[in-house]
Amino acid sequence: MKKRPALREAASVLAMLPTVLWAQAMESDPQAVSGGIDTVTISASRAADAWPVTTPSQTLSGAELVHRRQGGLGETIAGLPGVHLDSFGGGASRPVIRGQTLPRVEILSDGAALFDVSSVSPDHAVTTDPLLLDAIEIIRGPAAVRYGGNAVNGAINLIDSKVPTRLPAGGLAGATEVRYGTGDNEKTAVGRVTASMGRFAVHAEGVRRHADDYEVPDAYGADALRDSFAENTSYAFGASWITSKGYIGAAFTRMKSHYGLPGHSHLNGVCHTHDMDLHCTAHGGFDDPFGSPDSHAAVIRLRSDRVDIRADHDDPLPGISHARLRLSHTDYAHDEIDGDKLFTRYTNKVKDGRFELTHRPLLGFTGTLGAQYTDGTFSGINVEDLHVPFPENAYGLVPPYHHVTKNIGLFLSERRSFGAVDLELAVRKDWREIRVPAPTFLATMTPEYEAMFTEWYGSDWRRIIETEAVDSFLARNPGTKHNPFSASLGGTWTMGQGYSVGLSFGHTERAPNVRELYARGNNLSTNSYELGLAVDNPIFKEGKRPAGDVLESTNSIDLTLRKTGGPLDAEIGVFYQDVGDYIFARLIETEKATGVAHNFLAYTAADVRFAGIDGQVSYRVTPASRVTVSGDYVHARMKSMEDHLPRIPRGRLGVRYERNWGPLSADLDVSRTFGQSRIAAYETGTAGYNMVNATLVYRWDMGSRQSLEFYARGTNLTDELAFAHTSFVKNQSPLRGRSVAFGVRHAF
């Protein structure tokens, strides 16, 4: 009986999708603002070198991106087919693609990995500001294999202009924008400019955004969601030398953010374990590191500095049609502050290099060979008491605890056309090593205690106890090595009259990330005590396997149907994934001694299956109007355990109508997100909800490559109380209530 609602929803999606899509070409000038209705492309990605792709690949750009942009990446692209939202108030939001979010989705900056700590915890923001992006690409299938196992569910490529790639027409181009949002008192100002002199181009851009706690529907019992405020400042400076064959340039980017953590409670900071028993009462050496009420705000103060060097060059060598270089250095840090107490600090310093060569046709094949090297040092997990001074007459290892990662990756993608059939294949091999060096040893002994330790251990007592502490730490935090391999083979059959069908087979291996391996302590943002795979985890050790043997292995099949040209456009994807050693946090017990439920979660591996459908179909009713039906559905099943996977979205259906009256355009978007009752042991069910959004735009062409646009975009216009099942804090952080953003944008 319980399966019938799921089957009905899947049938609804299947029935509606063959009758729906809005599809259009990406604007030739990414800084231009269009008042038309052609704004979302579902086609080949730039990263796929404009070759037909076998799985759905979306590009959000132009006016649609301008109007949809919010402070976080997840909020900006949520609602695209197959894309949901993992929200954490107004400051952090991560995209969920086909039921999975980070670390199974890779975030890129113009083809290079974006190194922050958003994959480690859901309260950590993705370090990009959508207000400064030209386009957002969602890449799947063989085109995503080149980015490694973390792109198993797709790669999101953030396209910007901070390193100029072409000379601006007339020697100067740019845009300014101001906007105000009613639902959170948002005040935003954006500016960007590119200027050139000869072959040399310089670029500057910046954004300043401030938003108060956002309003929620009255049914939640409050006017606004406490601690959902967010403010952000980002700026970048870049320069390039540009020729007819390519460019080489560099840019510096700084992002600073300050946002609240709704639903925060530090009462469970006292929780600890005795073997496999979670205990949330202070005693002995286990104490509450905060000792204060939850009446004040918990916030994150973030700073990210990044230097990028980018180069693209055509015909660099005989037989080579294109060369691409991406180098970056990221220096990331954020402080997590509880009232006036700094309880933890996350850092991530990463050097990354990526080089690609695309060869000319060889035996009918064209393709790209590349290599990537990454060297990073991360710290922050398992620490929540930085504000507590080291006690007198004590000894031990003090944070930060660094995790040093080195990774070498080699990849190859090839493609060839056999008449109406285009084939593409891709492979990637990685060699990754993580080591955890011993942190600093500290002993604060008074002369009396020094005499006592000398009597016990001898005159070399300090070295002896330090060696014991270091050996114990290294035993509990062993180094790990993983060598994942991924491959994909796909084909697209063009049947004529705009119809095509794509089929791809993939095998993707993903190595566990730092939290999945080394977590050992409280994560207050998710109200959980977590135990990683590598830290003497009894649950995982039942299988008598070392953590270095665990590779999440996904075998997938994707079928994509397309129709382009004429009044009807469509793209529908059906997928199946069989995952071995799927890494997830398994519930051991829930402790409620503090009055706030705290889950004891141990990472383990199980066999699971995902299946689903997503896509959209659109019909151009007149040259100036279009109707689109879109939807997605995903079903997840654990094959080896009697439980369900947590935070899996159920399904969604939406209808969109767009109309253009010359300089005036408008759209209306109505969607239904279905409730979720297939829940993990520590979850609660989530009710479905409706969402109504609308946009009204007036664009004035001022001549001389200048335009002025006025827009208003309303979201959740019916003010419906909605909870995202994909969120770790869904009950403490409902989605935004009714809000209207008013904006003015000038492009020149």
Side-chain angles (χ1 to χ4, degrees):
M1 294 296 291
K2 292 183 179 179
K3 294 183 178 179
R4 291 184 179 176
L7 294 173
R8 283 199 298 267
E9 292 165 18
S12 298
V13 175
L14 287 167
M16 293 289 285
L17 282 173
T19 65
V20 274
L21 158 180
W22 77 84
Q24 60 20 264
M26 182 177 176
E27 295 174 75
S28 59
D29 181 359
Q31 295 191 19
V33 177
S34 170
I37 62 176
D38 293 332
T39 45
V40 175
T41 302
I42 299 186
S43 63
S45 160
R46 247 175 46 163
D49 300 324
W51 191 267
V53 293
T54 56
T55 54
S57 204
Q58 302 159 293
T59 299
L60 181 63
S61 62
E64 180 68 11
L65 174 59
V66 169
H67 303 146
R68 291 176 65 107
R69 293 178 306 183
Q70 297 200 50
L73 178 63
E75 284 189 291
T76 297
I77 65 176
L80 296 179
V83 184
H84 288 252
L85 167 70
D86 170 11
S87 64
F88 211 107
S93 64
R94 307 186 300 180
V96 177
I97 298 180
R98 291 183 167 179
Q100 301 292 288
T101 185
L102 283 66
R104 296 176 180 90
V105 174
E106 185 71 275
I107 310 295
L108 309 169
S109 176
D110 197 32
L114 183 71
F115 295 102
D116 49 31
V117 296
S118 56
S119 66
V120 178
S121 186
D123 59 321
H124 301 166
V126 177
T127 53
T128 188
D129 197 315
L131 292 158
L132 293 174
L133 296 178
D134 298 329
I136 301 174
E137 299 175 333
I138 302 176
I139 309 164
R140 301 187 183 119
V145 166
R146 67 174 72 184
Y147 302 110
N150 286 346
V152 58
N153 267 50
I156 299 177
N157 196 18
L158 310 174
I159 305 300
D160 56 58
S161 298
K162 59 188 178 185
V163 177
T165 61
R166 61 182 179 179
L167 300 171
L172 185 69
T176 60
E177 181 179 355
V178 293
R179 52 188 272 171
Y180 173 77
T182 62
D184 54 5
N185 196 31
E186 176 200 359
K187 304 179 185 69
T188 298
V190 188
R192 56 190 297 174
V193 63
T194 304
S196 64
M197 180 179 296
R199 293 292 178 183
F200 187 70
V202 296
H203 178 85
E205 63 184 26
V207 59
R208 171 64 178 165
R209 178 178 180 269
H210 175 89
D212 297 332
D213 292 343
Y214 64 70
E215 295 179 2
V216 291
D218 292 339
Y220 186 66
D223 295 331
L225 180 62
R226 179 188 166 193
D227 298 337
S228 62
F229 62 86
E231 59 181 73
N232 175 62
T233 301
S234 297
Y235 57 83
F237 302 97
S240 297
W241 180 259
I242 302 171
T243 71
S244 59
K245 287 194 171 185
Y247 71 94
I248 182 169
F252 170 78
T253 306
R254 169 165 287 184
M255 176 178 178
K256 298 178 70 176
S257 185
H258 173 216
Y259 60 91
L261 302 177
H264 156 76
S265 174
H266 62 235
L267 295 177
N268 287 321
V270 70
C271 294
H272 55 277
T273 58
H274 298 285
D275 293 325
M276 292 303 290
D277 178 48
L278 183 65
H279 195 212
C280 292
T281 303
H283 64 89
F286 300 104
D287 201 358
D288 178 3
F290 298 96
S292 58
D294 276 338
S295 57
H296 46 251
V299 302
I300 285 182
R301 294 186 182 273
L302 179 157
R303 174 198 53 79
S304 177
D305 290 343
R306 180 177 170 116
V307 176
D308 285 278
I309 297 176
R310 301 174 182 171
D312 283 273
H313 192 75
D314 292 330
D315 304 318
L317 295 169
I320 303 299
S321 62
H322 190 80
R324 169 173 287 190
L325 176 69
R326 295 292 184 269
L327 302 174
S328 68
H329 179 269
T330 302
D331 184 358
Y332 172 98
H334 83 239
D335 291 341
E336 300 189 2
I337 302 170
D338 191 302
D340 59 352
K341 297 179 175 64
L342 171 63
F343 61 96
T344 191
R345 172 175 291 149
Y346 280 82
T347 66
N348 202 24
K349 296 184 178 181
V350 185
K351 298 175 183 176
D352 182 69
R354 185 182 183 95
F355 184 62
E356 302 177 7
L357 291 174
T358 301
H359 66 80
R360 294 192 179 281
L362 179 64
L363 301 177
F365 285 90
T366 59
T368 299
L369 174 66
Q372 181 179 2
Y373 175 76
T374 306
D375 186 342
T377 300
F378 162 86
S379 70
I381 63 171
N382 305 333
V383 179
E384 59 182 36
D385 56 358
L386 285 182
H387 61 286
V388 179
F390 198 84
E392 189 178 41
N393 291 324
Y395 66 89
L397 303 176
V398 296
Y401 309 130
H402 291 117
H403 298 78
V404 180
T405 300
K406 292 189 177 182
N407 190 94
I408 297 174
L410 298 177
F411 54 91
L412 173 68
S413 62
E414 294 287 338
R415 45 201 181 269
R416 181 178 177 179
S417 179
F418 296 88
V421 177
D422 300 307
L423 290 183
E424 55 179 329
L425 60 91
V427 294
R428 174 163 173 143
K429 179 67 175 178
D430 285 90
W431 295 266
R432 192 195 76 176
E433 179 180 1
I434 299 179
R435 61 183 181 89
V436 190
T440 302
F441 176 81
L442 183 61
T444 57
M445 303 297 185
T446 62
E448 292 80 8
Y449 272 79
E450 287 188 3
M452 186 184 305
F453 273 76
T454 300
E455 180 180 348
W456 291 343
Y457 295 97
S459 60
D460 202 17
W461 66 269
R462 185 181 294 270
R463 184 190 62 81
I464 293 173
I465 63 174
E466 179 176 356
T467 300
E468 290 178 349
V470 168
D471 289 346
S472 176
F473 177 87
L474 295 179
R476 290 182 288 110
N477 295 274
T480 57
K481 293 183 179 180
H482 292 86
N483 303 320
F485 172 79
S486 298
S488 181
L489 172 65
T492 301
W493 176 30
T494 302
M495 297 179 288
Q497 297 183 335
Y499 289 94
S500 66
V501 58
L503 179 66
S504 73
F505 302 89
H507 173 80
T508 305
E509 293 178 351
R510 184 186 74 87
N513 72 1
V514 170
R515 178 172 288 280
E516 292 168 330
L517 285 169
Y518 297 107
R520 192 186 185 95
N522 290 311
N523 184 352
L524 297 182
S525 65
T526 58
N527 291 314
S528 61
Y529 185 99
E530 300 175 5
L531 198 61
L533 297 170
V535 292
D536 198 25
N537 180 334
I539 300 298
F540 176 69
K541 287 173 66 177
E542 289 177 359
K544 298 181 180 180
R545 298 171 59 194
D549 287 348
V550 179
L551 277 175
E552 192 174 278
S553 178
T554 302
N555 295 316
S556 60
I557 302 175
D558 285 85
L559 177 66
T560 304
L561 305 175
R562 293 188 181 88
K563 167 63 172 70
T564 59
L568 180 68
D569 291 291
E571 180 161 301
I572 304 169
V574 181
F575 64 93
Y576 176 87
Q577 297 176 343
D578 194 307
V579 190
D581 281 344
Y582 183 89
I583 302 165
F584 77 107
R586 173 182 169 185
L587 178 68
I588 305 303
E589 68 169 303
T590 299
E591 174 65 58
K592 301 180 180 179
T594 65
V596 177
H598 206 57
N599 296 313
F600 182 13
L601 305 176
Y603 284 96
T604 188
D607 296 334
V608 305
R609 177 191 64 82
F610 292 88
I613 180 172
D614 49 46
Q616 53 186 21
V617 180
S618 73
Y619 184 77
R620 191 177 292 273
V621 182
T622 70
S625 65
R626 178 170 53 193
V627 63
T628 300
V629 177
S630 62
D632 54 66
Y633 175 80
V634 62
H635 182 275
R637 181 173 69 87
M638 296 187 69
K639 300 192 297 182
S640 56
M641 292 186 182
E642 292 296 326
D643 199 0
H644 297 297
L645 288 175
R647 296 174 298 281
I648 302 297
R650 191 58 172 274
R652 179 177 55 199
L653 277 174
V655 180
R656 177 184 174 96
Y657 179 74
E658 301 162 87
R659 183 69 166 88
N660 189 345
W661 299 271
L664 182 66
S665 62
D667 64 65
L668 176 66
D669 193 336
V670 181
S671 65
R672 171 68 180 179
T673 298
F674 298 102
Q676 179 61 285
S677 57
R678 291 175 55 86
I679 57 176
Y682 58 93
E683 289 188 298
T684 58
T686 304
Y689 60 87
N690 302 313
M691 195 62 62
V692 179
N693 304 324
T695 307
L696 182 65
V697 181
Y698 182 83
R699 182 172 183 267
W700 178 25
D701 187 352
M702 303 170 64
S704 300
R705 301 185 303 275
Q706 293 193 63
S707 64
L708 187 65
E709 179 184 270
F710 301 88
Y711 66 87
R713 177 168 175 80
T715 55
N716 194 5
L717 293 176
T718 59
D719 204 31
E720 181 159 351
L721 180 61
F723 299 93
H725 187 76
T726 49
S727 173
F728 281 80
V729 289
K730 64 166 186 177
N731 294 324
Q732 301 99 319
S733 184
L735 299 181
R736 297 174 183 269
R738 182 188 298 114
S739 181
V740 181
F742 299 94
V744 180
R745 180 175 171 85
H746 175 224
F748 58 90

